Amino acid sequence: MNLLDWIVLLVTMVGIAAYGAWHTRHTNHLDTYLKGSKTTRWGTIGISVMATQASAITFLSIPGQGFESGLGFVQNYFGVPLALIIVCAVFLPIYRKLGVYTAYEFLGQRFDGKTRLLGAGLFLLQRGLAAGVTIYAPAIILSTVLGWRLDLTIIGTGLLVIIYTVTGGSEAVSLTQKWQMGIIFGGMIAAFVILLVRLPAGLGFSGAAHVAGAMGKLQAVDFSFSPDKRYTLWTGLFGGLFLSLSYFGTDQSQVQRYIGGAALREGRLGLMFNALLKIPMQFFILLLGALLFVFYQFAPAPVFYNRVEWQHYAAGPNGSTFQALDEKNSALHVVEQEKIRAWLAARDSGDVSKESVTRTAMLDAEAASQAVRTDAKAALLAADPKAKTKDSDYVFIGFILDQLPHGLIGLLIAVMIAAALGSKAGELNALGTTTTIDLWRHFRPLAAHDEARNVRAAKWFTAFWGVIAIAFALFAGFSENLIEAINIIGSIFYGVVLGIFLVAFFLKHIGGTAVFWAAVIAQTLIFALYLLRHRFPVLGISYLWYNLIGCAACVLFGLILQAILGNAKSPSKPHAT
Amino acid sequence: MKPPIATEPSARETENPGVPGFRTWRGVYWFVFSAFVVVVVLLTLFSRMFA
């Protein structure tokens, strides 16, 4: 990065944060602080919902996922449009009508205080656990590649988001997310265009897509019923539906984005905007990764994409092994290029038998290259058993630094940080709101009538969660595969929370006591499934299924417990604060 | 038992959404659902085309 990149980065990031904080500095009404401005329109709501979900990991890891595994991950989002339609038709009108600040407040009104506390507690637990990851994930990658200090990167981004989120609450979050998404869309489109321009002359998008397709990178939809396959049409539709329904319908970081606004219509249109755009957006990011794979078939490709780590170990006592792997990779790379060009020529000639032979040769060459990459990872582990061997997260950032002109490098780094800030702000806002409304006000009901005190409490709790997130990012040891770590944590809790809400909406004869204990039993079951998955291979199912199982178990146990309790123990009185 | 009003949607799905070309929210949902089906079909065709 040069001076121009730093100017672009700092002006966009600090400028947006300062604008958000300044513009909302007089936010003193609880309603505005927690729900945002009453004049917010559907475009802002839609962008805000999108920005809260799209963290920096989306733009760092997902191109890497497309590079390594192809487009199959897009199926993970197939449940999103269906879930958003249900949220629009059922959840949102009820939240709006009741005028709640949090989704869990609704549980208090529908069931009782303990169910509300359980819902809020599960949210705080799972969001709190994931709190550090959204800051840590981009920080570890950017600090590794750019040579920044990890602790300063975490603290810098963490403090920036705390300042404007605490100052302006929900209004500041929506306002800044709108600008951040502008930077993100602009940066990603620029990167995509430059990638297409940098492809070899004569190849073009169509040729690159054919190469990627032949290498198995463009298999977007898998109709397989195999339960151990992580991403298929069915896991996406069913597991993804439950995950998305729980995330968009019951996770306060999303609920808070759309319950405000000028009218019910604005929230609904904001959600429909996401229902239409989410899959194409994820497809575009994965396609970028798949095209990066093609790009690196023709450009010099490292054997291991986390080059800083590779060079660190290559300079160690096993340097000769690393050098030999580098040389072998370079030699195989040249061979693979020849095979790809031969296949493209055969394909263009229309000679079917020649096309088949050259295709097999090309795939063999790719397999040989992959084998060297596997050897490289084994060499890293031999040098240090704690070495990080997942390098796909470094593919896109490596391309940015190597191929983009100065100025655009700064813009793309700003994309990553903007995405981190946007999603973190939504999370902090929701954690602070839930702590204030569902815990603090619950235990101090007299304080509910003092608006200024409520706003002060919300600000302090937001800052508190921000500091917790920074501390967690600084001191916790996270797994390498961060995007999956977040999804697994979410899936463990989301199904049960969704079960509670589905009972609340659709099974009106079930009361608070039955659903409370049903949720406790269902959550214990999910914990057991997760913890015992290595001991009993039959339990080794895709984590997306936890959403469905947790939800179904909660509903089923609720029905059974209500039948047992019957009229002997009528549901407790509604609790509202 | 809790008051049923707590779980009754306030806005009827037949209300005008104020979106050009649509007279009800149900129509908007069907449009979004249809768009989703089209996207899945296009993705499948895309996969086949470049396989």
Side-chain angles (χ1 to χ4, degrees), chain A residues 282-306:
Chain A
Q282 296 303 137
F283 169 76
F284 165 76
I285 299 170
L286 284 163
L287 183 64
L288 180 79
L291 293 179
L292 274 173
F293 172 82
V294 178
F295 172 81
Y296 279 115
Q297 301 305 309
F298 296 97
V303 67
F304 190 74
Y305 283 83
N306 184 349

Side-chain angles (χ1 to χ4, degrees), chain A residues 110 213 220 265 268 504 508 572, chain B residues 1-2 7 13 17-18 47 50:
Chain A
R110 165 65 177 85
R265 171 186 181 272
R268 279 180 154 170
K508 293 172 187 168
S572 35
Chain B
M1 196 60 69
K2 305 301 144 305
T7 55
E13 300 309 308
S47 304
F50 293 108

Side-chain angles (χ1 to χ4, degrees), chain A residues 147-299:
Chain A
W148 299 350
R149 274 182 56 177
L150 177 63
D151 52 356
L152 291 183
T153 310
I154 289 171
I155 292 169
T157 49
L159 285 180
L160 201 59
V161 72
I162 287 174
I163 288 168
Y164 70 81
T165 310
V166 168
T167 305
S170 204
E171 195 180 4
V173 173
S174 301
L175 196 66
T176 48
Q177 280 175 332
K178 201 162 63 174
W179 289 99
Q180 286 158 348
M181 282 307 283
I183 299 287
I184 289 169
F185 282 135
M188 292 302 283
I189 290 168
F192 195 86
V193 170
I194 288 178
L195 173 60
L196 290 180
V197 170
R198 297 282 159 92
L199 286 170
L203 190 65
F205 174 79
S206 174
H210 276 106
V211 173
M215 301 277 199
K217 302 292 181 188
L218 299 188
Q219 182 68 38
V221 187
D222 183 346
F223 291 90
S224 159
F225 284 100
S226 174
D228 54 345
K229 275 199 171 180
R230 184 156 280 182
Y231 305 115
T232 66
L233 175 73
W234 315 111
T235 59
L237 275 180
F238 295 105
L241 169 64
F242 280 80
L243 177 67
S244 303
L245 196 54
S246 193
Y247 176 61
F248 288 106
T250 75
D251 188 307
Q252 180 61 20
S253 61
Q254 278 297 350
V255 173
Q256 197 155 2
R257 307 273 67 82
Y258 60 73
I259 54 170
L264 173 66
R265 171 186 181 272
E266 308 303 326
R268 279 180 154 170
L269 288 180
L271 290 176
M272 289 301 94
F273 168 81
N274 277 270
L276 287 172
L277 282 192
K278 187 66 189 172
I279 296 174
M281 186 180 110
Q282 296 303 137
F283 169 76
F284 165 76
I285 299 170
L286 284 163
L287 183 64
L288 180 79
L291 293 179
L292 274 173
F293 172 82
V294 178
F295 172 81
Y296 279 115
Q297 301 305 309
F298 296 97

